[in-house]
């Protein structure tokens, strides 16, 4: 049978050989050519295996603190990677190092692996086949219905239905799927309903961009909504297909969409409950307004890019009068002015006051000019000085005392302090408005007025800033906002009407102040500034009539609810707490067509809103049946309940829609508690870290406002996905990693098809709690690890081709190496389970990589090949090894299944024996299994044995190093041509080594572990010579106890069947080319199955 050579090499079939023969010693001829600590890997392994025990880890460390020396007489040290025996596979093929064999004479007696499970995944074909099998057999639904360990609800945060998926989507959904699949294996009834956010401006803009000008003119609200709904549903279909290709399990037949009538009705209900509790109100106050979108924005709809440049302006507002409490200022009138600073000169027409900090000290300073005309020029090209100082008349200014040196340097003048005054004393001073000459007051602001920048006096326009608004309420200041929806000055702005406030309007205000000697200086000011996250254009603060949710009304309850939630990572709690504690009232109205309407009617004459329990309940009932389109095509009379219909002619419908964050923030009400099994609160929410100010917060606020508790018990957050260099992905930079291309490949030959499982493996490998990187290099590494893991599983399958559970050997009868292997396996499963429970998937990746790919393959499976291939088909050692392999296969498949579901299922479909659970259920899918139950007998492997076997593995590492030297010196070819000599200074170690050499159980023999033909324990090195033992090394434990290692050619001749060297070869007339063990096996009648194969 043709097999992959990588799986069928490294065999050793030595005979028992234990000798204490004396040898001449010339130890002085040995020179240590290298010194290397070789304990790092096994130290880690031993510690991880023992970490749940009560023993001191210090003890483990000290026992494993080893140093290795190796040398070979007459040769230099070599680090060649070729080190092992080639084994009987080549014998089966009839060739051996150039010696002609008898055409594979004993080929039929070798138990080679047999499996149809391919070494190559062929994921482009095989993964869709597996997914089709899952769908056709309804595996997800079947497993959920069979599980009886309670329910688990991970509530899906709805992605936006407006485009293709990116790597952030992929990581998010895969993380959720890993958790859900693990919970399935844990016997939970998993309820996972996928959702989509379908309303809002981005979808509306997509529709508008697809139409020409004439079509836009003919677009009615209902036509626009119909096109938007069609676009959203089409996008949902496309995104759903992509999610399925990632291997995501969900209730795909019944997703939730925010445009579904039942969802919209639930949202209206949440709004109504908040209104009835007094948390919804209508008011005129400044909000973030997007001129490019012509709508109000919530904080979550903003982004703050670095490098925005504003015009920073210093201006003078002439002081008109001072109160009696501040007569000292009268001495400086009329030549004194208030020096103010602003980064939004366009808001000066709406100025209503100047605010000061009552706790700061202010100074009246006289301006003295340096030589040169500073009023008109500056060496700094980013600065422009005004005309205010041009005539150099005596000029006094009021500024914060602490800022005098800073302002002197910035303005290039000398400011002599004539008097000081507190901020409290400045209150009620009057100044002349710099544009319309009206009288305005000086008021006391809040702690937002500091001496970190500016002048310490803040221009206050209540219609254009939140802090200004609060101060305006305190003093009853007028709220001017002479700006329209497009960011253009209105008639109220007088001479500036028709100008763009963020463009020529801003420049016009600065020019006007300069022409009227009110401008000190203007300069460029680089800072963060709020942009519309959709249009990527600057926003403004603008006072408009909007609907708000009063966060202040339930802030304390929200903060208490946050404390009851488990946040992962823990610092996420601080982030959402800080945001919620300072959040202003939530503007929930939007001036758009595509969304859920705010269910309000306005009186035609008084403009007073009509909104009551009766009206909301009636509208909710209509929308639940007809959808929110009904708001646009039904009349006011039809939309009003019976009680109000006689007054229908006196009312008109509102035109505002709800903030999309109110849409998605109501998902708990539309899904949890409404869908079968999806209980409220959910067990878990999992989204990106940006959702602390988005979905996490909007869901928290709506749930606390209506029910007094958070909609989730736990929240997991992940970072953003960056390219391999740590940069944000961008089409313009050409660094976008497309998940579809990663899975299926692309047109470019460089775009390799890695498959969904490799993508999922990458997700499990990163610490998702911070930003992560991905690219071709990383994915190639993941592919390599996946391939090795697949190869290990293929080896397990292939060597269980003739296995049945009834062949299992009792634990008490297993060789010690097999018991140690089961202890390692059980410890690994235990650690992996703890990592799944804590959502630390990167630890699982590390454990699997180290154990399955490294430890298992390079140690146990390497040694196991001997008894599996040539140990005899029904021998006790082969059956005991198969017992261990079966345990590994059944456990490894289950622990990797949440991360690599396609691989796990592929393995299970090739399982060569039938597996029944404890309840007798025969699993036809890997996910019908239960999570492995920890076997305490395996874990009770004695601690001293754990430490001893860790020491043996370290010793094996150094033996391999000496064997490499022997190979480099051409003393041996394969390791089976070698004989190893050991001498230990510690008596207890000598005893154990002797016992292993004389072990009745062939599997525990040292020659098996070293993959050599013989091992001899020397009682002394007195008679050792370099001629007899050419290559040597040392293994030091704790710097004192040592094991001396020597290597020579093995005794005897080479067995044709197993390639082991033995003095017994040639002693059997019927099979003269066989060793004793092989002769015994060949002489026995073969079982029917083995003979047939």
């Amino acid at each position: 049978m043709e097999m992959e050579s990588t799986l069928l090499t490294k065999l050793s079939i030595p005979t028992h050989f234990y000798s204490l023969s004396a040898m001449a010693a010339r130890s002085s001829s040995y020179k240590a050519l290298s010194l290397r600590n070789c304990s790092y890997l096994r130290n880690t392994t031993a510690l991880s295996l023992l970490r749940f025990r009560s023993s001191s880890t210090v003890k483990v460390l000290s026992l494993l603190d080893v140093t290795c020396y190796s040398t070979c007489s007459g040769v230099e040290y070599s680090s060649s990677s070729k080190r092992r025996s080639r084994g009987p596979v080549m014998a089966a093929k009839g060739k051996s190092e150039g010696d002609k064999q008898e055409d594979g004479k004993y080929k039929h007696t070798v138990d080679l692996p047999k499996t149809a499970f391919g070494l190559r995944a062929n994921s482009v074909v095989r993964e869709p086949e597996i997914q089709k099998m899952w769908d056709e057999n309804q595996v997800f639904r079947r497993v959920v219905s069979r599980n009886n360990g309670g329910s688990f609800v991970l509530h899906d945060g709805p992605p936006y239905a407006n485009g293709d998926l990116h790597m952030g989507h992929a990581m998010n959904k895969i993380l959720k799927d890993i958790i859900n699949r693990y919970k399935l294996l844990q016997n939970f009834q998993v309820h996972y309903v996928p959702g989509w956010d379908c309303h809002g401006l981005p979808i509306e803009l997509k529709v508008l961009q697809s139409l020409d000008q004439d079509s836009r003119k003919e677009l009615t609200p209902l036509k626009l909504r119909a096109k938007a709904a069609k676009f959203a549903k089409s996008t949902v279909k496309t995104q759903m297909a992509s999610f399925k290709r990632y291997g995501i399990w969900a209730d795909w037949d019944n997703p939730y969409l925010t445009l579904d009538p039942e969802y919209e009705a639930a949202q209206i209900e949440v709004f109504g409950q908040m209104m009835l509790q007094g948390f919804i109100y209508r008011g005129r106050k400044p909000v973030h307004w997007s001129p490019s979108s012509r709508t109000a924005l919530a904080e979550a709809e903003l982004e703050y890019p670095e490098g925005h440049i504003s015009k920073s302006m210093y201006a003078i507002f002439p002081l008109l009068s001072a109160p009696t409490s501040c007569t000292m200022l009268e001495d400086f009138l009329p030549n004194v002015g208030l020096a103010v600073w602003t980064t939004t000169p366009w808001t000066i027409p709406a100025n209503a006051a100047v605010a000061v900090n009552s706790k700061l000290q202010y100074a009246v300073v006289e301006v003295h000019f340096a030589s040169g005309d500073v009023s008109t020029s500056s060496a700094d090209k980013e600065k422009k000085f005004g005309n205010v100082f041009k005539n150099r008349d005596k000029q006094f200014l009021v500024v914060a005392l602490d800022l005098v040196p800073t302002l002197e340097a910035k303005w290039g003048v000398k400011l002599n302090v004539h008097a000081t005054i507190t901020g409290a004393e400045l209150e009620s001073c009057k100044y002349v408005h710099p544009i319309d000459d009206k009288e305005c007051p000086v008021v006391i602001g809040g702690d937002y007025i500091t001496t970190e920048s500016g002048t310490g006096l803040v221009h206050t326009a209540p219609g254009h800033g939140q802090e200004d608004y609060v101060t305006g309420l305190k003093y009853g200041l007028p709220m001017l906002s002479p700006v329209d929806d497009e960011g253009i000055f209105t008639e109220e702005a007088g001479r500036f009407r028709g100008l763009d406030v963020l463009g020529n309007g801003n420049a016009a205000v600065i020019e006007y102040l300069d022409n009227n000697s009110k401008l000190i200086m203007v300069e460029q000011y680089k800072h963060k500034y709020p942009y519309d996250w959709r249009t990527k254009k600057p926003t403004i603060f603008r006072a408009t009539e909007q609907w708000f949710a009063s966060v202040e009304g339930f802030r304390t309850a929200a903060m208490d609810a946050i404390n009851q939630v488990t946040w992962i990572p823990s610092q996420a709690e601080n982030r959402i707490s800080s945001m919620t504690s300072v959040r202003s009232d939530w503007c929930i109205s939007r001036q758009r067509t595509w969304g859920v309407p705010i269910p309000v009617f306005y009186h035609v004459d008084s403009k007073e809103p009509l909104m009551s329990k009766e009206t909301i309940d009636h509208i909710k009932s209509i929308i639940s049946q007809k959808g929110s389109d009904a708001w646009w095509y039904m009349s006011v009379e039809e939309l009003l309940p019976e009680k109000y219909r006689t007054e229908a002619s006196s009312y008109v419908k509102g035109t505002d829609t709800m903030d999309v964050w109110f849409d998605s923030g109501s998902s708990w009400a539309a899904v949890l508690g409404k869908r079968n099994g999806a209980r409220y609160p959910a067990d878990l929410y999992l989204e990106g870290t940006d959702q602390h100010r988005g979905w996490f917060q909007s869901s928290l606020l709506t749930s606390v406002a209506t029910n007094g508790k958070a909609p989730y018990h736990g929240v997991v957050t992940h970072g953003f996905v960056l390219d391999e260099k740590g940069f944000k992905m961008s089409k313009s930079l050409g660094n976008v990693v497309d998940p579809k291309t990663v899975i299926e490949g692309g047109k470019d030959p460089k775009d390799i098809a890695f498959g969904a499982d490799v993508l999922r493996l990458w997700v499990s490998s990163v610490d998702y709690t911070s930003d992560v990187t991905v690219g071709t290099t990383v994915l190639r590494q993941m592919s390599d690890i996946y391939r090795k893991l697949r190869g290990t599983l293929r080896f397990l399958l292939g060597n269980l081709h003739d296995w049945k559970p009834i062949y299992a050997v009792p634990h008490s009868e297993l060789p010690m190496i097999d018991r140690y292997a089961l202890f390692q396996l059980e410890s690994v499963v235990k650690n992996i389970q703890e990592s799944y429970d804590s959502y630390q998937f990167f630890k699982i990746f590390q454990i699997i990589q180290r154990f399955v790919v490294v430890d298992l393959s390079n140690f146990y499976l390497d040694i196991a090949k001997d008894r599996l291939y040539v140990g005899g088909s029904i021998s006790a050692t082969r059956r005991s090894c198969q017992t261990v392999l079966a345990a590994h296969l059944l456990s490894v498949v289950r622990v990797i299944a949440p991360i690599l579901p396609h691989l796990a299922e592929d393995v299970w479909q090739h399982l060569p024996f039938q597996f029944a659970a404890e309840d007798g259920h025969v699993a036809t899918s890997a996910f019908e299994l239960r999570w492995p139950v920890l076997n305490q007998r395996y874990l009770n492997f004695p601690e001293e044995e754990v430490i001893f076997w860790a020491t043996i593995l370290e010793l094996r590492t150094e033996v391999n190093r000496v064997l490499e030297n022997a190979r480099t010196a051409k003393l041996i070819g394969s390791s089976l041509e070698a004989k190893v000599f050991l001498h230990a200074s510690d008596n207890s170690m000598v005893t154990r080594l002797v016992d292993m050499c004389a072990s009745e159980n062939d599997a525990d023999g040292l020659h098996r572990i070293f993959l050599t033909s013989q091992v001899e324990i020397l009682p002394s090195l007195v008679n050792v010579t370099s001629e007899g033992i050419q290559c040597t090394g040392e293994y030091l434990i704790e710097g004192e106890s040592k094991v001396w290692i020597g290597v020579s050619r093995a005794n005897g001749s080479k067995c044709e069947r197993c390639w082991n060297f033995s003095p017994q070869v040639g002693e059997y007339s019927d099979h003269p080319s066989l060793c004793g063990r092989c002769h015994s096996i060949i002489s026995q009648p073969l079982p029917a199955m083995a003979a047939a194969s």
Side-chain angles (χ1 to χ4, degrees):
M1 184 176 190
E2 184 178 352
M3 301 297 295
E4 296 287 342
S5 62
T6 55
L7 294 179
L8 305 175
T9 57
K10 308 177 184 176
L11 301 186
S12 60
I13 314 297
T15 56
H16 287 295
F17 192 92
Y18 174 65
S19 170
L20 295 177
S21 61
M23 301 183 72
R26 289 203 314 179
S27 58
S28 60
S29 66
Y30 294 92
K31 181 179 180 181
L33 296 181
S34 67
L35 169 63
R36 180 174 180 180
N37 186 304
C38 59
S39 64
Y40 66 97
L41 180 59
R42 297 299 171 190
N43 285 353
T44 303
T45 305
L47 281 175
S48 65
L49 296 177
L50 288 169
R51 70 182 182 84
F52 60 92
R53 299 196 175 204
S54 59
S55 63
S56 168
T57 55
V58 176
K59 178 180 178 182
V60 179
L61 277 171
S62 63
L63 284 169
L64 298 179
D65 184 17
V66 299
T67 306
C68 307
Y69 302 84
S70 63
T71 183
C72 195
S73 178
V75 300
E76 294 294 325
Y77 177 78
S78 170
S79 60
S80 169
S81 61
K82 293 175 60 179
R83 63 179 184 85
R84 315 310 296 145
S85 159
R86 299 177 71 194
V89 175
M90 300 306 295
K93 291 182 178 179
K95 296 288 184 180
S96 170
E97 299 178 352
D99 296 330
K100 184 174 179 61
Q101 301 290 327
E102 297 180 22
D103 195 25
K105 181 178 179 181
Y106 299 103
K107 176 181 178 180
H108 66 284
T109 70
V110 177
D111 292 298
L112 297 179
K114 300 181 179 113
T115 181
F117 182 80
L119 185 59
R120 295 187 63 183
N122 192 20
S123 58
V124 174
V125 175
R126 185 60 179 151
E127 287 178 349
E129 289 177 349
I130 291 172
Q131 292 171 3
K132 182 180 180 182
M133 183 270 290
W134 286 335
D135 290 341
E136 291 178 347
N137 293 278
Q138 296 187 332
V139 177
F140 178 44
R141 188 172 300 174
R142 198 169 71 232
V143 173
V144 170
S145 62
R146 178 173 171 265
N147 285 356
N148 56 14
S151 66
F152 176 79
V153 179
L154 195 164
H155 184 42
D156 190 34
Y160 210 72
N162 73 325
D164 294 330
L165 300 178
H166 53 66
M167 285 299 290
H169 290 115
M171 181 169 75
N172 176 265
K173 276 295 193 290
I174 290 172
L175 285 172
K176 293 173 181 175
D177 194 60
I178 289 173
I179 294 170
N180 283 334
R181 288 179 183 266
Y182 169 67
K183 293 296 182 180
L184 280 175
L185 293 173
Q186 286 280 353
N187 196 30
F188 284 94
Q189 290 186 328
V190 172
H191 301 280
Y192 181 59
V193 181
W196 274 271
D197 204 346
C198 301
H199 288 133
L201 181 62
I203 294 173
E204 193 172 329
L205 290 177
K206 289 275 189 180
V207 171
L208 293 174
Q209 290 167 3
S210 67
L211 302 175
D212 56 33
Q213 288 295 331
D214 292 337
S215 298
R216 291 187 189 185
K217 292 177 182 178
E218 298 175 0
L219 201 60
T220 65
L222 280 172
K223 287 182 179 179
L224 172 60
R225 288 176 60 83
K227 290 181 179 295
K230 182 179 179 181
F231 176 86
K233 290 177 181 178
S234 174
T235 303
V236 167
K237 186 177 180 180
T238 301
Q239 291 187 358
M240 183 184 293
S242 296
F243 285 139
K244 287 181 177 181
R245 185 61 184 88
Y246 301 165
I248 310 301
W249 271 0
D251 188 0
W252 296 117
D253 294 334
N254 302 288
Y256 77 86
L257 283 75
T258 59
L259 56 69
D260 288 337
E262 61 270 21
Y263 188 102
E264 294 175 328
Q267 182 177 333
I268 293 291
E269 183 177 7
V270 171
F271 177 88
Q273 291 175 357
M274 291 179 68
M275 185 276 295
L276 293 173
Q277 294 186 56
F279 297 140
I280 302 293
Y281 70 93
R282 186 169 185 256
R284 187 170 186 267
K285 60 188 297 186
V287 296
H288 288 287
W289 184 270
S290 172
S292 55
S293 297
R294 300 187 214 175
T295 186
L297 299 177
E299 180 64 33
E301 297 172 294
L302 302 173
E303 57 187 21
Y304 293 82
E306 301 279 357
H308 176 84
I309 297 177
S310 295
K311 293 289 187 180
S312 167
M313 182 184 74
Y314 294 86
I316 297 175
F317 293 4
L319 198 62
L320 187 62
S321 64
T324 55
S325 60
C326 191
T327 54
M328 60 172 293
L329 283 177
E330 294 181 356
D331 296 337
F332 303 98
L333 293 173
N335 298 319
V336 63
L338 305 175
V340 300
W341 177 72
T342 180
T343 58
T344 54
W346 63 268
T347 61
I348 294 295
N351 173 266
V354 168
V356 295
N357 189 323
S358 62
K359 300 173 185 177
L360 292 181
Q361 286 286 321
Y362 291 84
V364 179
V365 297
E366 182 178 0
V367 180
H368 286 273
F369 304 100
S371 60
D373 187 6
V374 299
S375 63
T376 57
S377 65
S378 169
D380 189 343
K381 294 182 179 180
E382 294 185 352
K383 291 183 180 180
K384 177 186 177 183
F385 288 96
N387 295 317
V388 67
F389 296 149
K390 190 172 184 180
N391 55 19
R392 302 204 175 196
D393 291 336
K394 182 173 285 191
Q395 181 71 56
F396 295 95
L397 299 175
V398 177
V399 297
L401 180 62
D402 291 346
L403 285 169
V404 168
T406 302
L407 295 174
E408 285 180 326
K410 186 171 286 292
W411 296 344
V413 297
K414 179 66 177 175
L415 302 177
N416 291 335
V417 177
H418 282 255
T420 60
I421 189 172
T422 66
E425 292 174 309
L426 284 172
E427 185 179 19
S428 299
C429 287
K430 304 295 182 181
Y431 67 91
V432 178
H433 192 285
I435 293 178
D436 60 17
D437 295 332
K438 65 184 177 183
E439 187 178 290
C440 299
V442 175
V443 298
I444 302 298
D447 292 335
Y448 62 89
I449 302 172
T450 69
T451 56
E452 293 181 2
S453 59
T455 63
L457 295 95
V458 176
H459 144 62
T460 299
H464 292 298
Q466 180 60 33
E467 291 155 339
D468 297 20
Y469 171 76
V470 173
T471 301
L473 288 179
K474 178 181 175 182
Y475 285 91
L477 300 175
M479 192 188 309
L480 300 176
S481 184
V483 183
D484 67 12
D485 292 356
E486 297 181 26
I488 304 299
F489 277 126
T490 64
E491 292 290 336
E492 285 185 287
R495 59 176 52 84
F496 305 112
R497 63 184 178 277
L499 300 179
D500 180 0
V501 298
L502 292 176
N504 53 11
N506 203 46
V509 171
I510 294 171
E511 183 180 8
Y512 177 84
L513 294 178
D514 191 20
N515 291 339
N516 288 273
S517 298
K518 301 292 194 304
L519 179 68
I520 298 175
M521 188 188 79
V522 64
E523 64 179 341
Q524 291 187 355
Y525 181 65
K526 186 179 293 186
H527 63 133
K528 289 184 177 181
Y529 188 87
Y531 275 57
D532 184 329
W533 72 333
R534 299 180 180 97
T535 63
K536 309 299 181 184
K537 293 183 178 180
T539 62
I540 60 175
F541 254 108
R542 175 186 177 226
T544 59
E545 292 283 351
Q546 300 289 344
W547 287 95
F548 297 90
S550 176
V551 178
E552 191 59 40
F554 52 89
R555 191 187 309 278
T556 301
M559 298 300 293
D560 291 341
I562 289 172
N563 294 332
Q564 303 301 315
V565 174
T566 300
W567 299 90
I568 299 173
S570 57
Q571 59 265 31
E573 180 175 357
N574 296 331
R575 183 168 187 187
I576 194 167
S577 293
S578 61
M579 290 179 173
T580 306
S581 64
V582 299
R583 174 163 187 162
S584 58
D585 286 355
W586 178 7
C587 178
I588 61 172
S589 53
R590 295 292 180 272
Q591 291 65 53
R592 306 308 303 179
T593 301
W594 179 229
V596 177
I598 291 181
V600 62
F601 303 89
Y602 296 101
H603 195 276
V604 174
D605 298 325
S606 67
K607 310 302 181 185
E608 284 298 309
L610 170 62
M611 190 159 52
S612 65
K613 185 178 187 304
E614 292 87 354
T615 61
I616 290 177
D617 286 347
H618 186 64
I619 293 166
K620 171 192 165 187
S621 176
I622 292 172
I623 288 178
S624 68
Q625 299 173 38
K626 301 181 178 181
S628 59
D629 276 356
W631 183 260
W632 276 266
Y633 69 72
M634 291 179 69
S635 66
V636 172
E637 184 176 1
E638 293 172 308
L639 291 169
L640 283 171
E642 189 74 32
K643 176 181 177 181
Y644 297 97
R645 283 181 183 167
T646 57
E647 305 175 43
S649 60
S650 300
Y651 288 94
V652 293
K653 293 178 286 187
T655 58
D656 290 344
T657 54
M658 292 192 206
D659 174 17
V660 289
W661 290 109
F662 201 98
D663 285 25
S664 60
S666 302
S667 62
W668 58 266
V671 180
L672 304 180
K674 298 288 179 70
R675 299 293 184 96
N676 184 31
R679 69 172 185 273
Y680 166 84
D683 292 291
L684 195 67
Y685 276 34
L686 188 156
E687 300 299 331
T689 187
D690 56 330
Q691 297 307 315
H692 288 108
R693 67 187 185 105
W695 189 57
F696 294 153
Q697 190 172 150
S698 63
S699 299
L700 173 76
L701 296 179
T702 54
S703 181
V704 169
T706 54
N707 294 324
K709 60 183 178 182
Y712 36 69
H713 291 301
V715 172
V716 174
T717 60
H718 61 77
F720 295 102
V721 182
L722 310 174
D723 73 1
E724 285 183 313
K725 296 180 181 179
F727 294 112
K728 183 178 179 180
M729 293 187 192
S730 168
K731 289 183 179 179
S732 61
L733 295 177
N735 64 343
V736 173
V737 179
D738 179 15
K740 182 178 180 180
T741 303
V742 169
I743 294 173
E744 299 178 354
K747 296 179 181 179
D748 192 320
K750 294 185 296 183
D751 294 331
I752 303 171
F754 290 103
D757 270 2
V758 169
L759 179 62
R760 294 174 68 103
L761 187 63
W762 165 75
V763 172
S764 75
S765 73
V766 297
D767 182 358
Y768 61 79
T769 59
S770 57
D771 291 348
V772 300
T773 60
V774 69
T776 302
T777 302
V778 173
L779 291 169
R780 285 182 184 275
Q781 293 170 352
M782 293 299 112
S783 180
D784 186 52
I785 293 169
Y786 172 87
R787 180 181 55 80
K788 291 176 180 177
L789 175 58
R790 188 177 180 91
T792 299
L793 291 167
R794 183 172 186 260
F795 178 90
L796 296 176
L797 287 169
N799 285 286
L800 291 169
H801 65 87
D802 59 345
W803 167 256
K804 295 180 181 179
I806 59 173
Y807 298 157
V809 178
H811 184 263
S812 60
E813 299 175 16
L814 292 174
M816 288 300 290
I817 191 171
D818 289 347
R819 296 188 209 178
Y820 177 62
L822 290 176
F823 165 75
Q824 284 186 309
L825 171 66
E826 212 63 16
S827 301
V828 162
V829 172
K830 182 176 184 292
N831 292 340
I832 286 177
Q833 181 172 338
E834 292 173 355
S835 297
Y836 270 122
D837 288 336
S838 61
Y839 306 118
Q840 294 179 301
F841 308 125
F842 71 96
K843 290 186 177 181
I844 299 170
F845 168 82
Q846 293 169 354
I847 293 170
I848 290 175
Q849 182 185 12
R850 184 178 65 240
F851 175 68
V852 178
V853 178
V854 179
D855 293 350
L856 187 61
S857 294
N858 290 352
F859 173 58
Y860 186 79
L861 299 185
D862 202 14
I863 296 169
K865 293 169 187 174
D866 166 59
R867 29 181 179 154
L868 290 171
Y869 298 166
V870 294
S873 298
I874 59 173
S875 66
T877 56
R878 186 167 185 266
R879 290 303 190 214
S880 68
C881 184
Q882 286 182 312
T883 300
V884 174
L885 296 191
H888 276 75
L889 181 62
L890 293 172
S891 290
V892 171
V893 163
R894 285 180 277 185
V895 300
I896 69 169
I899 295 171
L900 303 170
H902 304 94
L903 175 58
E905 191 65 75
D906 205 5
V907 169
W908 197 254
Q909 297 307 316
H910 287 87
L911 195 71
F913 55 89
Q914 192 176 73
F915 176 78
E918 293 179 1
D919 60 0
H921 177 76
V922 177
T924 58
S925 166
F927 291 92
E928 291 183 312
L929 301 165
R930 294 278 190 266
W931 185 260
V933 177
L934 287 179
N935 190 315
Q936 199 57 46
R937 176 179 291 184
Y938 294 173
L939 288 173
N940 287 339
F941 193 66
E943 184 176 319
E944 59 273 15
E945 288 296 323
V946 175
I947 296 172
F948 173 74
W949 278 95
T951 304
I952 289 297
L953 296 186
E954 291 289 351
L955 176 60
R956 182 176 185 261
T957 299
E958 181 56 24
V959 167
N960 289 340
R961 195 168 281 117
V962 180
L963 289 170
E964 281 296 316
N965 286 343
R967 184 176 293 107
T968 303
K970 302 189 183 305
L971 177 67
I972 61 172
S974 77
S975 62
L976 289 179
E977 297 177 13
K979 175 179 181 179
V980 172
F981 298 87
L982 301 176
H983 171 71
S985 58
D986 180 77
N987 290 332
S988 62
M989 176 62 73
V990 171
T991 301
R992 289 300 302 269
L993 294 177
V994 169
D995 289 344
M996 291 182 74
C997 284
S999 173
E1000 293 182 2
N1001 193 317
D1002 189 58
D1004 287 337
L1006 273 178
H1007 51 287
R1008 298 282 183 241
I1009 294 169
F1010 295 158
L1011 298 185
T1012 58
S1013 287
Q1014 296 122 25
V1015 175
E1016 180 178 348
I1017 310 302
L1018 301 177
S1020 169
L1021 297 178
V1022 174
N1023 297 319
V1024 173
T1025 66
S1026 60
E1027 288 79 11
I1029 303 177
Q1030 293 93 328
C1031 295
T1032 66
E1034 275 188 353
Y1035 171 68
L1036 301 182
I1037 305 175
E1038 291 186 311
E1040 297 178 3
S1041 177
K1042 66 174 66 175
V1043 178
W1044 178 89
I1045 304 164
V1047 170
S1048 71
R1049 290 279 303 180
N1051 299 329
S1053 301
K1054 183 177 183 179
C1055 174
E1056 181 184 350
R1057 180 173 178 270
C1058 69
W1059 289 25
N1060 183 40
F1061 281 73
S1062 170
Q1064 296 173 324
V1065 174
E1067 293 183 359
Y1068 308 102
S1069 58
D1070 52 345
H1071 296 285
S1073 62
L1074 299 186
C1075 65
R1077 184 184 65 168
C1078 287
H1079 181 266
S1080 175
I1081 293 170
I1082 294 301
S1083 300
Q1084 295 175 358
L1086 282 172
M1089 182 185 300
S1093 64

